[in-house]
């Protein structure tokens, strides 16, 4: 790193490591989270923001903000030079990297060192060693921490890989050495899939982390994922701060985390054993700051070291809740050279905390990430932590925030804390039920489904949970019968009120008035593959639903309907619905659930001119690979290109057999949903 | 502001009796409407559906903006004739893309949508409404043309339809034809004369002569598609502007056309400066660009009570203020000349914020004072560009020596003169009786009210049936006496009851409506809604009264 024009910042504060002004090299909720702790220490705060993030709340909540021109992570939060320059420009003497982005990139830590800026995190060496899964495993092995056998396959032939896989036994896991979050990771069930999986994992790892190194290790079936929070100061003291269980994962991404682990009820000795192993490992690298040592634990209680994350974790709030401490504050204080002993007293794990990650995604459509304007974002009941039950919401979003396609689609972390696991679970479930999130589809109902699932209730959680329990089933199990139909009725009546409110003709005439009625009003909603039609009419006694039996309902009484709300009495129960109607989507929230209906047009849409054989992008994303050339002959089903969106790779396949006539994008193109990508001319 | 009081006791025997009678009439009306909606009957509806077609009413419903109201007009046309009730045509006032339009649809389940004399009159009425109120006219066409056995009644006057269409266009009033099926021979000119034509692929057939006629005329072999298919007209003749894939598409295109008509304000899609310097009477009410939501209060008393107010016995008059209290905004009625000519109530009020002047019969008979009061009031409404609402319940102008000598004809003439030459829109509702010249003075059909409706209890004829029979009897008796014949009492009795029954049957609301002497029979409870819609419609063409003289104080 060369910064000739900047020189070296020399200040007396450097020596004491006292931070006066802290740059958070991150965005959204975690930036806000760090600002809060910094403020509590009297530290000034500086935010960074990319083009799409300009209007997010965290930017406003900082004392200063610096714009990073560009939209993609690579142009902005991942650009070490830009981040360091911003720190210097804003006169910061400390950088907190948050999680993700540059948090585990040694170049940032090194750059801080060079510039005399305090990096709130471990040393460059610690990051480097722990950043390599292979090196860290070797280290763990040397210090007596159990690990899974593994083989680095970057430089060896596929034969060797195959033999190794055979020795440890299928299934095996192919895994990127760098990074995390499940990217560059493949479960391989049989020898035939091995080569292909290694290749695709390498490719994904290279794209994601700039490092194609992958390795093979034994795949533990349905393990629990339990991690130990550690913290170490600059004076050689390291302690562990108990465990978090993060077994509920979708595609290797955690979505529900809790502390204590329900598994430790039966195996209390593990807290001590794994805690000690984690501390040993931290001390082996003279670790400083917050870190998390991740383990897989099998059903018998055997645990294996997985990796160490050298940063603050997304799920840190559950630890904060059960220990009653501010981890970020401790992290900053440790970076300021303070003694752990002065920062943390006795560790007293009490009560139970559960966190869920609320994502803008559709679990029923292959976890498709969603983007758009968050018209309404309300997670109610946020309170100060207190014994007896409390809710914490860490989010960077508010009403009218835009969820962009460029970054992780996590909207919020919702954390419930109470005296018992069951109470925490119930509080969290109720909070989610009461949450109204309009504008983008979320995994809210899935989270409710998980929290209601009997296995989860009993603490029988492992990483196979979402494979055994399909999202559809979880969502449906948590929903009341006919909730969709009842919501549709509410939606139809709100749309009706909205039509009447917006009309410019016969504005005062009763809705849908007829002097000779031949038919009813209707609305067609779509929900996944299903179409729900509501037929209704306005009589002198108010609205009547004409197709009750078709909807499977006995009686509906419309108590009121406005352009944003409806109150219905359905089969003797009164429900209140909040509705947000957009042109093509209608969001309906009630205690029955939150539904996003599509509005089916009444008339065939004016066809936008698209030639047959045209392929459009299924979602916003970036073109990462193009595997055909113009003029190529393709079979139906041939993979022609791949899009990456929200950490997932989506393949674009030829719909028909024919010739590639035109390719309209190139690798690296950012594409919008429904953008034309490629045209295939059908073979005659 | 004067809020009308409540004199109605909904528990009184009279009220209950009236209500019962009215509900029976409404039930009867509903069954007649049911008949009109049934079109050509189950068999033909079934056959139509089997062809994958939408019914005429379904087409209209889909064309309309969702949840917007639709006021069907003349639904009982041809009632009491040998033709189907409704006369194989449906038309009314509806909203398409926020634009109030006249929408008219052939009912192909009734004799293939063929036109009979009542169909023709109904179509003419639709065109009149479009013209008088400057509303786009949308025709949903599927008709086999004239009902040939009745051509004598149709052929000559029927040409007016084509003239109407092109004259509407000349006045800048858009005409749109959506062709769903046959539109042949004379019928081909309905789309032919329209500004915009949409045809449904493989369904629409628009030609002057079909294959048999062509074969007869010239010997040429041809088929339907070549002669008049949508493809042909879209690609070859150019008669069709838009070819629709199917009926839904056709309706969607129709909506899209209306959206692009650029109807941005009431009164027209172009400037209305040529409509006279006064233009709109109530700019403050209308605002610029679109009708503004105005604040107004609902009536203080239940509109439901309009069921029990009209007397079940037509001979008993009732106070129209009880009606006004249930249809005017906030029941607010400022009466004009309340102490003079008290058999006629006149005054100002508003409905949905639209200001109106009201003339309503109170005790049936119009005397000289009433006629003079009406004349003055009509002039005042013209002076202030205020639409007038006539609530008819009259037995006519007073007869008798004193009255003739008092100049009842002169005074009646003044009132009829005022009504005839008034330029503000008139809306008439027959809420009881409309007999004799009272029908004229109170703006009956011949005086071209913009809209005329009747309550189910309404009667209209030259005089009451008993009176008419009585008059005939007296005249006959006098003739017998003059000729020295003996008067046949038995024959007279028979004649009287026969005439009375005939006149009675010809004066009831359904009969009048069947002849298209009104725009429909309405449920009294809908009176405010219907008047409100009609007022909004008349304002589309601006409201400007007659000028030229000062007010004549009678």
């Amino acid at each position: 790193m060369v910064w000739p024009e900047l020189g070296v910042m020399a200040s007396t504060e450097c020596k004491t490591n006292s931070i006066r002004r802290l740059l958070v090299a991150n965005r959204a909720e975690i930036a806000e989270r760090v600002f809060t702790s910094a403020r509590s220490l009297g530290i000034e705060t500086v935010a960074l923001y990319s083009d799409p993030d300009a209007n997010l709340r965290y930017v406003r909540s900082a004392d200063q903000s610096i714009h990073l021109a560009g939209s993609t992570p690579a142009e902005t939060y991942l650009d070490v030079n830009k981040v360091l320059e911003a720190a210097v420009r804003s006169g910061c003497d400390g950088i907190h990297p948050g999680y993700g982005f540059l948090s585990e990139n040694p170049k940032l830590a090194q750059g801080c060192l060079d510039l005399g800026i305090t990096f709130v995190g471990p040393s460059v060496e610690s990051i480097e060693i722990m950043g390599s899964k292979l090196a860290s495993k070797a280290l763990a092995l040397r210090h007596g921490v159990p690990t899974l056998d593994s083989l680095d396959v970057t430089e060896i032939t596929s034969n060797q890989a195959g033999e190794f896989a055979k020795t440890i036994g299928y299934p095996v896991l192919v895994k990127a050495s760098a990074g995390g979050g499940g990217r560059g990771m493949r479960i391989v069930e049989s020898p035939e899939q091995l080569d292909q999986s290694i290749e695709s994992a390498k490719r994904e790892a290279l794209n994601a982390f700039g490092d194609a190194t992958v390795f093979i290790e034994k795949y533990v079936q349905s393990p629990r994922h339990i991690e130990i929070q550690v913290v170490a100061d600059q004076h050689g003291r390291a302690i562990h701060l108990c465990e978090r269980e993060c077994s509920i994962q979708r595609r290797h991404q955690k979505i529900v985390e809790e502390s204590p682990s329900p598994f430790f009820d039966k195996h209390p000795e593990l807290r001590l054993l794994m805690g000690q192993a984690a501390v040993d490992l931290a001390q082996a690298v003279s670790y400083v700051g917050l870190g998390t040592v991740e383990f897989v634990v099998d059903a018998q209680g055997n645990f294996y070291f997985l990796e160490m994350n050298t940063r603050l974790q997304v799920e840190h709030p559950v630890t904060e809740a059960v220990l009653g401490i501010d981890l970020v504050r401790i992290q900053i204080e440790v970076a300021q050279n303070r003694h752990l002993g002065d920062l943390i007293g006795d560790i007293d794990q009490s009560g139970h905390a559960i966190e869920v990650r609320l994502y803008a995604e559709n679990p029923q459509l292959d976890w498709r990430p969603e983007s758009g304007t968050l018209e309404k974002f309300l997670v109610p009941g946020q309170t100060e932590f207190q014994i007896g039950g409390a809710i914490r919401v860490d989010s960077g979003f508010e009403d009218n925030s835009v969820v962009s396609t460029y970054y992780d689609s996590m909207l919020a972390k919702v954390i419930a804390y109470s005296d018992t696991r069951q109470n925490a679970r119930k509080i969290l479930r109720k909070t989610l039920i009461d949450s109204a999130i309009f504008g983008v589809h979320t995994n809210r109902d899935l989270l409710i489904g998980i929290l209601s699932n009997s296995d989860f209730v009993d603490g029988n959680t492992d990483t196979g949970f979402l494979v055994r329990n399909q999202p559809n089933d979880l969502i449906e199990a948590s929903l009341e019968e006919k909730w969709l139909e009842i919501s549709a009725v509410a939606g139809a009546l709100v749309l009706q009120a909205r039509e009447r409110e917006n009309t410019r003709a016969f504005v005062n005439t009763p809705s849908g008035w007829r002097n000779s009625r031949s038919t009813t009003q209707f609305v067609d909603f779509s929900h996944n593959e299903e179409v729900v039609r509501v037929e209704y009419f306005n009589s002198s006694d108010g609205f009547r639903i004409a197709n009750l039996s078709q909807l499977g309902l006995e009686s509906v009484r419309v108590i009121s309907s406005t352009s944003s709300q409806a109150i219905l009495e359905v089969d003797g129960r009164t429900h209140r619905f909040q509705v947000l109607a957009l042109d093509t989507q209608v969001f309906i929230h009630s205690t029955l659930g939150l539904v996003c209906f599509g509005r089916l047009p009444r008339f065939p849409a004016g066809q936008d001119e698209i030639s047959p054989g045209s392929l459009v992008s299924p979602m916003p994303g970036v073109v990462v690979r193009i595997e055909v050339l113009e003029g190529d002959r393709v079979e139906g089903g041939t993979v022609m290109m791949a899009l990456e969106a929200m950490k997932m790779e989506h393949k674009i396949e030829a719909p028909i057999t024919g010739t590639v006539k035109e390719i309209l994008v190139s690798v690296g193109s950012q594409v919008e949903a429904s953008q034309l990508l490629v045209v295939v001319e059908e073979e005659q | 502001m004067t809020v009308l009081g409540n004199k109605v006791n909904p528990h009184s025997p009279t009220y209950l009796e009236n209500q019962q009678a009215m509900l029976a009439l409404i039930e009867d009306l509903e069954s007649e409407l049911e008949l009109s909606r049934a079109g050509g009957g189950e068999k033909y509806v079934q056959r139509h559906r089997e062809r994958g077609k939408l019914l005429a009413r379904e087409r209209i419903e889909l064309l309309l903006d969702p949840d917007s109201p639709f006021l069907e007009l003349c639904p009982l046309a041809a009632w009491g004739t040998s033709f189907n009730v409704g006369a194989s045509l449906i038309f009314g006032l509806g909203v398409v893309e926020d634009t109030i339009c006249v929408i008219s649809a052939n009912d192909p389940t009734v004799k293939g949508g063929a036109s009979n004399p009542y169909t023709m009159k109904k179509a003419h009425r639709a065109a009149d409404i479009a013209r008088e109120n400057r509303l786009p006219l949308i025709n949903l066409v599927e008709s086999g043309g004239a009902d040939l056995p009745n051509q004598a009644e149709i052929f000559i006057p029927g040409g007016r339809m084509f003239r109407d269409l092109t004259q509407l266009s000349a006045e800048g009033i858009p005409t749109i034809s959506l062709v769903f099926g046959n539109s042949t021979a004379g019928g081909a000119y309905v789309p032919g004369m329209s500004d915009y034509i949409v045809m449904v692929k493989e369904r629409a057939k628009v030609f002057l002569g079909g294959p048999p006629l062509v074969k007869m005329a010239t010997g040429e072999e041809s088929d339907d598609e070549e002669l008049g298919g949508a493809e042909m007209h879209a690609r070859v003749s150019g008669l069709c502007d838009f070819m629709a894939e199917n009926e839904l598409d056709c309706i969607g295109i129709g909506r899209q056309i209306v959206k692009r008509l650029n109807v941005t304000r009431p009164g027209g899609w172009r400037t209305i400066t040529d409509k006279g310097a006064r233009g709109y009477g109530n700019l403050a009410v209308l605002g610029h660009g679109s009708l503004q939501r105005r604040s107004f209060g609902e009536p203080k008393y239940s509109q439901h009570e309009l069921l029990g107010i009209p007397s079940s016995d037509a001979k008993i008059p009732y106070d129209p203020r009880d009606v006004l209290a249930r249809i005017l905004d906030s029941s607010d009625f400022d009466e004009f000349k309340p102490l003079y000519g008290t058999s006629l109530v006149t005054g100002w009020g508003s409905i949905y914020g639209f200001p109106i002047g009201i003339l309503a019969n109170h005790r049936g008979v119009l005397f000289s004072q009433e006629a003079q009061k009406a004349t003055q009031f009509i002039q005042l409404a013209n002076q202030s560009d205020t639409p007038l609402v006539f609530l008819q319940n009259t037995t006519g102008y007073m007869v008798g020596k004193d009255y003739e000598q008092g100049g009842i004809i002169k005074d009646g003439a003044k009132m009829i003169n005022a009504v005839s030459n008034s330029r503000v829109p008139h809306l008439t509702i027959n809420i009881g009786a409309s007999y004799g010249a009272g029908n004229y003075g109170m703006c009956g059909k011949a005086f071209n009210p913009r809209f005329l409706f009747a309550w189910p209890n309404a009667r209209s004829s030259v005089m009451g049936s008993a009176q008419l029979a009585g008059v005939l009897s007296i005249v006959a008796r006098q003739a017998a006496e003059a000729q020295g014949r003996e008067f046949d009492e038995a024959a007279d009795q028979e004649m009287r009851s026969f005439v009375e029954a005939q006149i009675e049957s010809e004066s009831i609301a359904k009969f009048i409506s069947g002849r298209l002497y009104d725009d429909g029979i309405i449920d009294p409870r809908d009176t405010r809604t219907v008047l409100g819609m009609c007022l909004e419609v008349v304002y589309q063409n601006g409201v400007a009264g007659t000028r030229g003289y000062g007010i004549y104080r009678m």
Side-chain angles (χ1 to χ4, degrees), chain B residues 26 40 48 62 80 142 156 168 213 227 244 339 391 439 459 501:
Chain B
I26 290 170
H48 186 77
L62 284 161
E142 180 166 13
I156 305 285
L168 286 174
L213 193 145
L227 291 172
L339 305 176
L391 298 183
N439 172 272
R459 298 268 192 294

Side-chain angles (χ1 to χ4, degrees), chain A residues 495-496 499-519 521-522 536 602-604, chain B residues 33 37 57 61-62 64 67-72 95 98 100 248 251-252 255 293-294 296 352 526 529-530 533 536-537:
Chain A
L495 284 178
Q496 168 277 134
E499 285 284 349
R500 293 310 294 155
E501 208 165 89
N502 294 336
T503 185
R504 288 189 287 125
F506 295 144
V507 292
N508 302 307
T509 312
S511 177
W513 183 85
R514 296 287 182 273
N515 56 333
S516 176
R517 183 179 304 287
S518 60
T519 176
Q521 303 289 322
F522 70 92
Y536 61 94
R602 302 185 147 224
F603 305 102
Chain B
L33 289 172
R37 292 192 293 260
R57 281 191 159 75
E61 289 285 344
L62 284 161
L64 297 171
D67 307 301
S68 66
F70 183 69
L71 175 56
E72 186 176 335
V95 182
D98 272 343
I100 300 176
L248 267 182
I251 295 165
R255 287 179 54 81
R293 281 170 193 278
R294 296 161 304 269
F296 58 84
Y352 292 156
D526 288 335
T529 300
V530 171
M533 287 177 77
E536 192 164 329
V537 166

